Amino acid sequence: MNRHETLISTTDFKEKLYFTVKEIALNLKNLIEKNFPVLWVEGEIANLRYSQNGNVYFNLIEEEASLKAMIFSSDKDQSIVPYLKNGLKVLCFGRLNFYLRSGDCYFIVRRIEPLGKGLLALKKEELIRKYKPLFDPNRKKALPLYPKKIAIITSLFGAALKDFLKISHNRWDLEILVYPVRVQGEGAEKEISQAVEDINLYFKDVEIIVITRGGGSFEDLAPFYTEEIILSIKDSKIPVVSAVGHEIDYTICDLIADKRCPTPTAAAEDVVPDKEEVFKRLEIYKKKYQQLLEIIISKREKQLYELKLTLENRNPFKIINNLEKQLKDYTHNLILRMEKFLSFKESRLTEIKNRLRKKHPQEKISLEEERLKFLKNRLKSALNNFLETKERKLESLQKLLDSLSPLNILQRGYSIVKSYPDGRIIKIAQDVSEGQFLEIYFSKGKVLVEVKKVET
Amino acid sequence: MIENNKDLNFEEALKRIEYILKQLENKDLDLETAIELYEEGLKLIYYCEQKLKNARTRVEVIIKEKEGFRLEEFEKAIEILKNGN
Amino acid sequence: MIENNKDLNFEEALKRIEYILKQLENKDLDLETAIELYEEGLKLIYYCEQKLKNARTRVEVIIKEKEGFRLEEFEKAIEILKNGN
Amino acid sequence: MIENNKDLNFEEALKRIEYILKQLENKDLDLETAIELYEEGLKLIYYCEQKLKNARTRVEVIIKEKEGFRLEEFEKAIEILKNGN
Amino acid sequence: MIENNKDLNFEEALKRIEYILKQLENKDLDLETAIELYEEGLKLIYYCEQKLKNARTRVEVIIKEKEGFRLEEFEKAIEILKNGN
Amino acid sequence: MIENNKDLNFEEALKRIEYILKQLENKDLDLETAIELYEEGLKLIYYCEQKLKNARTRVEVIIKEKEGFRLEEFEKAIEILKNGN
Amino acid sequence: MIENNKDLNFEEALKRIEYILKQLENKDLDLETAIELYEEGLKLIYYCEQKLKNARTRVEVIIKEKEGFRLEEFEKAIEILKNGN
């Protein structure tokens, strides 16, 4: 601002009607280049572009104002160019140059410094962008929890080492190798990278590498923002712990390392296990073991006891008792059924006996006796009838005979004369001789006569 | 005409009597014959009467016998019956 | 006509009696035969009466026996029955 | 008609009695047969009664035996039963 | 009917008893068979009772033994069981 | 049924006991089997009790041993454990 | 289960101890296994304790020479480097 004022005051306008282009251009060139031999300009980069010939062009702007700027390829500050980008606020060092032919005024930049974040931040951002895959948390190696050997890369005389050793002293059964390096200044990053490579190559039994240093200025920490650090840590087979710089700000080394600790003290606490803590843990484990085993055994004891009770409950006595009862029932039933069977048979026999009794032949005998009596009577009466019939018949025959008796004529007065004693019937007198006896039959009675005389 | 009447059984006797009665009904019958027939008839009738009387007596005897009967006797009787027949 | 009456059982005897009765009802029967039949009939009746009497006695005996019975006796009886039959 | 009754079991005896009862219902049955059947029936009934009496006695004996029983005796009994059967 | 009862296990014996009980409900069963069944039944029941008595004793012995038990004895027992089984 | 119980570990023994308990709940279980199972069960329980007792003793021994422990001894023990296992 | 414990580093030992703890948290763990694990665990814990009791840190400095590296005791190294530098 001060320099601007000076420029205006020294440029006195000469009274002239007109100027030629050349006059005014030369005048401007003179005015600008004379008044601003070298200067620092603060502004924001815009319209950044790279030309074929390697020159870099951009505008420096501030609100409405803009200044064309360029870096010649021969001049350009190689370390910064990669970090340039639109919108970046920078402080540029250089001189103003007016070009007659084009009438342009360019600020020829010799050096650029970022404003705000600073160069380290820029570098960090750029390196992060470049090696993005390497910062993937998944790539990070796990640290052995109980290392036997670790290596520390640090300055032998720094406070960091003192702090680290103080914490780790007899904290664990551990071998600590110190790899002394410079931790600041030109080329320190090369020593550190070399150390990482050496340890990887020659001390393979080292389990953790710790890179540490105390806090310092940006300049001091510059080695930890280098590509060398990234590449060596990336290639390390041994996990790397970084405890570099500020507690708040992470260096590139912090980011690429497998673990970052804010301070050397914290690193020691993190990397070196605490035997007291492990003792405590083991003590707890012991107690837990005891408790858990007790639970297991008690559970089994309880379980077994319950099984025992159940088994005793299910002893075969119950079955035996039931079976005995069943057998008693069987006995009872058997006797009962046999009794029933016998009773049935007895009642059946009684019934049959009664039936037989009813069939007693007595009845039949009586019946037959009756029948016989009847037959007897019939026989008697039959014979009687027979005889009576015969008698009656005989009687009638007799009567008939009587009625037909030749002697019936005697009733009428006839008589029958028979010779006597021979009884011949005398039908004619001739048959009679004198003196002969004759019997004369009358109807009633007869007489014996002697023939006196025969008349023929 | 009159055969051995002893051999004549009751029925034959009766038949003979009936025959005699038929003869006697003949008016032309010779008196002597008639008287002979008549007498024969009378005798046959008597004979039959006697037979009947005997029969009745025998029946009574049989009935009486039965009461004094024993099984042995019965069997004897059976024997007698068999042989007697 | 009368067969061996020992073989004659009760029923046959009765039948014979009935036969005799029928015969006797025939008026043309000869008197002697009638009497013989009568006698046979009576004897048969007697025979049957005896049989009935025996049966009665036997039945009474059976009932009495049964009360004093023992199994051994029973078996003897069975034996006797078998042989006796 | 009576078979070897020793071989006759109770049921067969009962059946025989029932058969006899049926026979006795036949009116035309001969008296002697009837009496014989009746007698056989009575004897069979007696036989059965004896069998039942024996059965009862045996049942009681078996129960008593059982009370004085030992396993050894049982096995002996089994032996006897097997042989005896 | 009684098979070799020595070989009869408890369950079979029970089944046999039940069978016998069922048989005895059959009114047509022959008396002699019934008595045989009855006797067999009672003997089987007795047999089973003995078995139960033995079982009871065995269980008691097992329970007593258990109290005086040692692991070695247990292993011996296992051996015996294995062989005995 | 009892396998080589020497090879039976605690858990298997418990399972076997549980199996036995389940079997013993079966109403149709044969008496002899029930007794055998019961005996086996009791023996298994005793076996398990012994195992538990042994376990407790062993735990105590382990704890005591630990007190007199040296690292070398530990490594010997490891050796023994490895071979013994 | 126990691997060659000689080769067992501290971390593995602790892991094994923790693994055993997790196993023991299973209440249904087999008894024999539980005791074995318990014993192993306790021995491992003891092993770790012994190891820790003797825990020391040794600090050495890597000194780069023309032909490789040399390890130097810390104090001495400081001396050397101070003077040499």
Side-chain angles (χ1 to χ4, degrees), chain B residues 51 55 58 69 74 81, chain C residues 2 32 35 39 43 46-47:
Chain B
K51 278 239 169 188
R58 199 163 153 206
F69 226 46
F74 173 70
L81 242 75
Chain C
I2 289 178
E32 282 84 353
I35 293 196
E39 187 166 8
K43 282 183 178 168
Y46 181 73
Y47 174 68

Side-chain angles (χ1 to χ4, degrees), chain B residues 9-11 51-52 55 58-59 62-63 65-66 69-71 74-75 77-78 81-82 85, chain C residues 1-6 28-32 35-36 38-40 42-44 46-47 49-50:
Chain B
N9 69 20
F10 188 82
E11 284 305 306
K51 278 239 169 188
L52 276 175
R58 199 163 153 206
V59 165
I62 290 162
I63 291 167
E65 266 175 358
K66 205 210 73 176
F69 226 46
R70 305 263 142 72
L71 195 56
F74 173 70
E75 276 154 12
I78 297 283
L81 242 75
K82 285 203 288 186
N85 216 22
Chain C
M1 255 175 217
I2 289 178
E3 297 138 48
N4 191 340
N5 271 302
K6 284 218 183 183
D28 295 335
L29 192 70
D30 180 46
L31 179 65
E32 282 84 353
I35 293 196
E36 274 169 19
Y38 175 71
E39 187 166 8
E40 187 193 346
L42 266 189
K43 282 183 178 168
L44 282 170
Y46 181 73
Y47 174 68
E49 280 175 348
Q50 286 306 103

Side-chain angles (χ1 to χ4, degrees), chain A residues 353 357 360-362 364-383 385-387 389-390, chain C residues 10-11 14 17-18 20-21 24-31 34-35 37-38 41-42 45 48-49 52 55-56 59 63 66:
Chain A
K353 198 172 164 186
R357 216 170 251 163
H360 196 292
Q362 190 90 45
K364 197 174 172 78
I365 292 171
S366 303
L367 211 78
E368 296 295 353
E369 280 172 348
E370 285 300 311
R371 200 168 145 208
L372 216 52
K373 215 185 239 173
F374 173 70
L375 285 176
K376 199 172 162 189
N377 286 339
R378 255 179 83 198
L379 190 67
K380 265 186 195 163
S381 66
L383 187 71
N385 282 345
F386 182 79
L387 289 177
T389 310
K390 293 298 175 192
Chain C
F10 192 85
E11 290 305 310
L14 283 188
I17 294 169
E18 300 227 4
I20 286 170
L21 276 172
L24 281 180
E25 275 160 12
N26 174 14
K27 302 289 175 188
D28 295 335
L29 192 70
D30 180 46
L31 179 65
I35 293 196
L37 284 173
Y38 175 71
L42 266 189
I45 282 173
C48 287
E49 280 175 348
L52 282 178
R56 203 177 269 289
V59 167
I63 292 168
K66 208 208 69 177

